[in-house]
PDB file of all heavy atoms in Angstrom:
ATOM      1  N   ALA A1899      18.466 -15.864 -43.170  1.00  0.00           N
ATOM      2  CA  ALA A1899      19.904 -15.886 -43.474  1.00  0.00           C
ATOM      3  C   ALA A1899      20.487 -17.289 -43.408  1.00  0.00           C
ATOM      4  O   ALA A1899      21.683 -17.468 -43.667  1.00  0.00           O
ATOM      5  CB  ALA A1899      20.655 -14.966 -42.503  1.00  0.00           C
ATOM      6  N   VAL A1900      19.681 -18.269 -43.054  1.00  0.00           N
ATOM      7  CA  VAL A1900      20.156 -19.647 -42.909  1.00  0.00           C
ATOM      8  C   VAL A1900      19.449 -20.507 -43.960  1.00  0.00           C
ATOM      9  O   VAL A1900      18.238 -20.754 -43.848  1.00  0.00           O
ATOM     10  CB  VAL A1900      19.880 -20.180 -41.485  1.00  0.00           C
ATOM     11  CG1 VAL A1900      20.367 -21.616 -41.351  1.00  0.00           C
ATOM     12  CG2 VAL A1900      20.541 -19.283 -40.447  1.00  0.00           C
ATOM     13  N   PRO A1901      20.152 -20.963 -44.972  1.00  0.00           N
ATOM     14  CA  PRO A1901      19.493 -21.697 -46.075  1.00  0.00           C
ATOM     15  C   PRO A1901      18.722 -22.937 -45.634  1.00  0.00           C
ATOM     16  O   PRO A1901      17.649 -23.224 -46.176  1.00  0.00           O
ATOM     17  CB  PRO A1901      20.680 -22.079 -46.980  1.00  0.00           C
ATOM     18  CG  PRO A1901      21.737 -21.071 -46.655  1.00  0.00           C
ATOM     19  CD  PRO A1901      21.591 -20.771 -45.200  1.00  0.00           C
ATOM     20  N   ASP A1902      19.247 -23.666 -44.682  1.00  0.00           N
ATOM     21  CA  ASP A1902      18.581 -24.897 -44.250  1.00  0.00           C
ATOM     22  C   ASP A1902      17.900 -24.713 -42.895  1.00  0.00           C
ATOM     23  O   ASP A1902      17.915 -25.603 -42.040  1.00  0.00           O
ATOM     24  CB  ASP A1902      19.582 -26.044 -44.179  1.00  0.00           C
ATOM     25  CG  ASP A1902      20.753 -25.739 -43.244  1.00  0.00           C
ATOM     26  OD1 ASP A1902      20.947 -24.558 -42.893  1.00  0.00           O
ATOM     27  OD2 ASP A1902      21.476 -26.686 -42.867  1.00  0.00           O
ATOM     28  N   ALA A1903      17.263 -23.556 -42.702  1.00  0.00           N
ATOM     29  CA  ALA A1903      16.676 -23.217 -41.400  1.00  0.00           C
ATOM     30  C   ALA A1903      15.609 -24.226 -40.978  1.00  0.00           C
ATOM     31  O   ALA A1903      15.581 -24.675 -39.826  1.00  0.00           O
ATOM     32  CB  ALA A1903      16.077 -21.811 -41.446  1.00  0.00           C
ATOM     33  N   ALA A1904      14.713 -24.601 -41.880  1.00  0.00           N
ATOM     34  CA  ALA A1904      13.632 -25.528 -41.519  1.00  0.00           C
ATOM     35  C   ALA A1904      14.193 -26.882 -41.102  1.00  0.00           C
ATOM     36  O   ALA A1904      13.710 -27.506 -40.147  1.00  0.00           O
ATOM     37  CB  ALA A1904      12.665 -25.686 -42.686  1.00  0.00           C
ATOM     38  N   GLU A1905      15.230 -27.344 -41.804  1.00  0.00           N
ATOM     39  CA  GLU A1905      15.840 -28.628 -41.455  1.00  0.00           C
ATOM     40  C   GLU A1905      16.512 -28.548 -40.087  1.00  0.00           C
ATOM     41  O   GLU A1905      16.392 -29.469 -39.264  1.00  0.00           O
ATOM     42  CB  GLU A1905      16.853 -29.017 -42.529  1.00  0.00           C
ATOM     43  CG  GLU A1905      17.518 -30.369 -42.285  1.00  0.00           C
ATOM     44  CD  GLU A1905      18.507 -30.716 -43.376  1.00  0.00           C
ATOM     45  OE1 GLU A1905      18.481 -30.043 -44.441  1.00  0.00           O
ATOM     46  OE2 GLU A1905      19.316 -31.640 -43.170  1.00  0.00           O
ATOM     47  N   ARG A1906      17.219 -27.444 -39.838  1.00  0.00           N
ATOM     48  CA  ARG A1906      17.877 -27.278 -38.545  1.00  0.00           C
ATOM     49  C   ARG A1906      16.851 -27.169 -37.411  1.00  0.00           C
ATOM     50  O   ARG A1906      17.060 -27.680 -36.315  1.00  0.00           O
ATOM     51  CB  ARG A1906      18.764 -26.029 -38.554  1.00  0.00           C
ATOM     52  CG  ARG A1906      20.058 -26.162 -39.339  1.00  0.00           C
ATOM     53  CD  ARG A1906      20.806 -24.833 -39.408  1.00  0.00           C
ATOM     54  NE  ARG A1906      22.085 -24.967 -40.096  1.00  0.00           N
ATOM     55  CZ  ARG A1906      23.255 -25.175 -39.497  1.00  0.00           C
ATOM     56  NH1 ARG A1906      23.305 -25.276 -38.172  1.00  0.00           N
ATOM     57  NH2 ARG A1906      24.378 -25.268 -40.183  1.00  0.00           N
ATOM     58  N   ALA A1907      15.749 -26.454 -37.683  1.00  0.00           N
ATOM     59  CA  ALA A1907      14.735 -26.219 -36.649  1.00  0.00           C
ATOM     60  C   ALA A1907      13.828 -27.420 -36.439  1.00  0.00           C
ATOM     61  O   ALA A1907      13.203 -27.554 -35.370  1.00  0.00           O
ATOM     62  CB  ALA A1907      13.894 -24.995 -37.005  1.00  0.00           C
ATOM     63  N   GLY A1908      13.705 -28.286 -37.458  1.00  0.00           N
ATOM     64  CA  GLY A1908      12.808 -29.425 -37.352  1.00  0.00           C
ATOM     65  C   GLY A1908      11.350 -29.025 -37.408  1.00  0.00           C
ATOM     66  O   GLY A1908      10.470 -29.770 -36.946  1.00  0.00           O
ATOM     67  N   ARG A1909      11.041 -27.886 -38.000  1.00  0.00           N
ATOM     68  CA  ARG A1909       9.654 -27.402 -38.114  1.00  0.00           C
ATOM     69  C   ARG A1909       9.610 -26.271 -39.126  1.00  0.00           C
ATOM     70  O   ARG A1909      10.636 -25.662 -39.446  1.00  0.00           O
ATOM     71  CB  ARG A1909       9.128 -26.922 -36.758  1.00  0.00           C
ATOM     72  CG  ARG A1909       9.948 -25.799 -36.144  1.00  0.00           C
ATOM     73  CD  ARG A1909       9.710 -25.617 -34.663  1.00  0.00           C
ATOM     74  NE  ARG A1909      10.966 -25.590 -33.935  1.00  0.00           N
ATOM     75  CZ  ARG A1909      11.090 -25.201 -32.675  1.00  0.00           C
ATOM     76  NH1 ARG A1909      10.035 -24.817 -31.989  1.00  0.00           N
ATOM     77  NH2 ARG A1909      12.263 -25.210 -32.081  1.00  0.00           N
ATOM     78  N   GLU A1910       8.412 -25.969 -39.593  1.00  0.00           N
ATOM     79  CA  GLU A1910       8.233 -24.872 -40.530  1.00  0.00           C
ATOM     80  C   GLU A1910       8.283 -23.532 -39.773  1.00  0.00           C
ATOM     81  O   GLU A1910       8.107 -23.475 -38.555  1.00  0.00           O
ATOM     82  CB  GLU A1910       6.902 -25.009 -41.270  1.00  0.00           C
ATOM     83  CG  GLU A1910       6.811 -26.237 -42.163  1.00  0.00           C
ATOM     84  CD  GLU A1910       7.824 -26.212 -43.300  1.00  0.00           C
ATOM     85  OE1 GLU A1910       8.112 -25.110 -43.810  1.00  0.00           O
ATOM     86  OE2 GLU A1910       8.333 -27.291 -43.651  1.00  0.00           O
ATOM     87  N   GLN A1911       8.462 -22.467 -40.531  1.00  0.00           N
ATOM     88  CA  GLN A1911       8.597 -21.152 -39.904  1.00  0.00           C
ATOM     89  C   GLN A1911       7.311 -20.727 -39.195  1.00  0.00           C
ATOM     90  O   GLN A1911       7.350 -20.118 -38.127  1.00  0.00           O
ATOM     91  CB  GLN A1911       8.993 -20.096 -40.950  1.00  0.00           C
ATOM     92  CG  GLN A1911       9.332 -18.743 -40.336  1.00  0.00           C
ATOM     93  CD  GLN A1911       9.798 -17.749 -41.381  1.00  0.00           C
ATOM     94  OE1 GLN A1911       9.778 -18.026 -42.585  1.00  0.00           O
ATOM     95  NE2 GLN A1911      10.206 -16.571 -40.931  1.00  0.00           N
ATOM     96  N   TRP A1912       6.155 -21.092 -39.786  1.00  0.00           N
ATOM     97  CA  TRP A1912       4.901 -20.676 -39.150  1.00  0.00           C
ATOM     98  C   TRP A1912       4.722 -21.378 -37.799  1.00  0.00           C
ATOM     99  O   TRP A1912       4.160 -20.811 -36.867  1.00  0.00           O
ATOM    100  CB  TRP A1912       3.707 -20.941 -40.068  1.00  0.00           C
ATOM    101  CG  TRP A1912       3.341 -22.390 -40.263  1.00  0.00           C
ATOM    102  CD1 TRP A1912       3.798 -23.216 -41.233  1.00  0.00           C
ATOM    103  CD2 TRP A1912       2.453 -23.171 -39.461  1.00  0.00           C
ATOM    104  NE1 TRP A1912       3.257 -24.473 -41.098  1.00  0.00           N
ATOM    105  CE2 TRP A1912       2.420 -24.473 -40.016  1.00  0.00           C
ATOM    106  CE3 TRP A1912       1.674 -22.910 -38.334  1.00  0.00           C
ATOM    107  CZ2 TRP A1912       1.640 -25.494 -39.484  1.00  0.00           C
ATOM    108  CZ3 TRP A1912       0.899 -23.926 -37.803  1.00  0.00           C
ATOM    109  CH2 TRP A1912       0.888 -25.203 -38.370  1.00  0.00           C
ATOM    110  N   VAL A1913       5.236 -22.606 -37.673  1.00  0.00           N
ATOM    111  CA  VAL A1913       5.162 -23.317 -36.401  1.00  0.00           C
ATOM    112  C   VAL A1913       6.075 -22.635 -35.373  1.00  0.00           C
ATOM    113  O   VAL A1913       5.713 -22.492 -34.199  1.00  0.00           O
ATOM    114  CB  VAL A1913       5.549 -24.799 -36.571  1.00  0.00           C
ATOM    115  CG1 VAL A1913       5.505 -25.525 -35.226  1.00  0.00           C
ATOM    116  CG2 VAL A1913       4.628 -25.476 -37.569  1.00  0.00           C
ATOM    117  N   LEU A1914       7.249 -22.222 -35.828  1.00  0.00           N
ATOM    118  CA  LEU A1914       8.153 -21.501 -34.924  1.00  0.00           C
ATOM    119  C   LEU A1914       7.513 -20.192 -34.459  1.00  0.00           C
ATOM    120  O   LEU A1914       7.677 -19.784 -33.297  1.00  0.00           O
ATOM    121  CB  LEU A1914       9.483 -21.232 -35.626  1.00  0.00           C
ATOM    122  CG  LEU A1914      10.559 -20.542 -34.779  1.00  0.00           C
ATOM    123  CD1 LEU A1914      10.896 -21.378 -33.552  1.00  0.00           C
ATOM    124  CD2 LEU A1914      11.821 -20.295 -35.617  1.00  0.00           C
ATOM    125  N   LEU A1915       6.770 -19.542 -35.340  1.00  0.00           N
ATOM    126  CA  LEU A1915       6.062 -18.321 -34.954  1.00  0.00           C
ATOM    127  C   LEU A1915       5.014 -18.615 -33.878  1.00  0.00           C
ATOM    128  O   LEU A1915       4.855 -17.839 -32.920  1.00  0.00           O
ATOM    129  CB  LEU A1915       5.401 -17.689 -36.177  1.00  0.00           C
ATOM    130  CG  LEU A1915       6.338 -16.894 -37.097  1.00  0.00           C
ATOM    131  CD1 LEU A1915       5.700 -16.667 -38.458  1.00  0.00           C
ATOM    132  CD2 LEU A1915       6.703 -15.556 -36.453  1.00  0.00           C
ATOM    133  N   LEU A1916       4.292 -19.727 -34.004  1.00  0.00           N
ATOM    134  CA  LEU A1916       3.315 -20.109 -32.983  1.00  0.00           C
ATOM    135  C   LEU A1916       3.997 -20.407 -31.655  1.00  0.00           C
ATOM    136  O   LEU A1916       3.511 -20.005 -30.586  1.00  0.00           O
ATOM    137  CB  LEU A1916       2.518 -21.332 -33.449  1.00  0.00           C
ATOM    138  CG  LEU A1916       1.100 -21.041 -33.968  1.00  0.00           C
ATOM    139  CD1 LEU A1916       1.164 -20.233 -35.247  1.00  0.00           C
ATOM    140  CD2 LEU A1916       0.329 -22.332 -34.201  1.00  0.00           C
ATOM    141  N   ASP A1917       5.120 -21.119 -31.714  1.00  0.00           N
ATOM    142  CA  ASP A1917       5.857 -21.419 -30.478  1.00  0.00           C
ATOM    143  C   ASP A1917       6.336 -20.138 -29.814  1.00  0.00           C
ATOM    144  O   ASP A1917       6.302 -20.005 -28.577  1.00  0.00           O
ATOM    145  CB  ASP A1917       7.052 -22.326 -30.790  1.00  0.00           C
ATOM    146  CG  ASP A1917       6.636 -23.708 -31.254  1.00  0.00           C
ATOM    147  OD1 ASP A1917       5.470 -24.088 -31.011  1.00  0.00           O
ATOM    148  OD2 ASP A1917       7.474 -24.408 -31.853  1.00  0.00           O
ATOM    149  N   THR A1918       6.789 -19.198 -30.609  1.00  0.00           N
ATOM    150  CA  THR A1918       7.272 -17.921 -30.070  1.00  0.00           C
ATOM    151  C   THR A1918       6.126 -17.129 -29.470  1.00  0.00           C
ATOM    152  O   THR A1918       6.269 -16.510 -28.415  1.00  0.00           O
ATOM    153  CB  THR A1918       7.969 -17.111 -31.181  1.00  0.00           C
ATOM    154  OG1 THR A1918       8.926 -17.926 -31.845  1.00  0.00           O
ATOM    155  CG2 THR A1918       8.679 -15.899 -30.596  1.00  0.00           C
ATOM    156  N   ALA A1919       4.967 -17.151 -30.128  1.00  0.00           N
ATOM    157  CA  ALA A1919       3.789 -16.454 -29.593  1.00  0.00           C
ATOM    158  C   ALA A1919       3.366 -17.058 -28.259  1.00  0.00           C
ATOM    159  O   ALA A1919       2.958 -16.344 -27.332  1.00  0.00           O
ATOM    160  CB  ALA A1919       2.641 -16.520 -30.588  1.00  0.00           C
ATOM    161  N   ALA A1920       3.463 -18.386 -28.125  1.00  0.00           N
ATOM    162  CA  ALA A1920       3.114 -19.037 -26.860  1.00  0.00           C
ATOM    163  C   ALA A1920       4.048 -18.591 -25.749  1.00  0.00           C
ATOM    164  O   ALA A1920       3.618 -18.359 -24.608  1.00  0.00           O
ATOM    165  CB  ALA A1920       3.168 -20.558 -27.029  1.00  0.00           C
TER     166      ALA A1920
END
Side-chain angles (χ1 to χ4, degrees):
V1900 180
D1902 57 344
E1905 182 180 346
R1906 286 174 177 265
R1909 59 198 129 167
E1910 295 297 325
Q1911 188 177 5
W1912 71 269
V1913 178
L1914 183 59
L1915 282 163
L1916 258 66
D1917 293 342
T1918 310

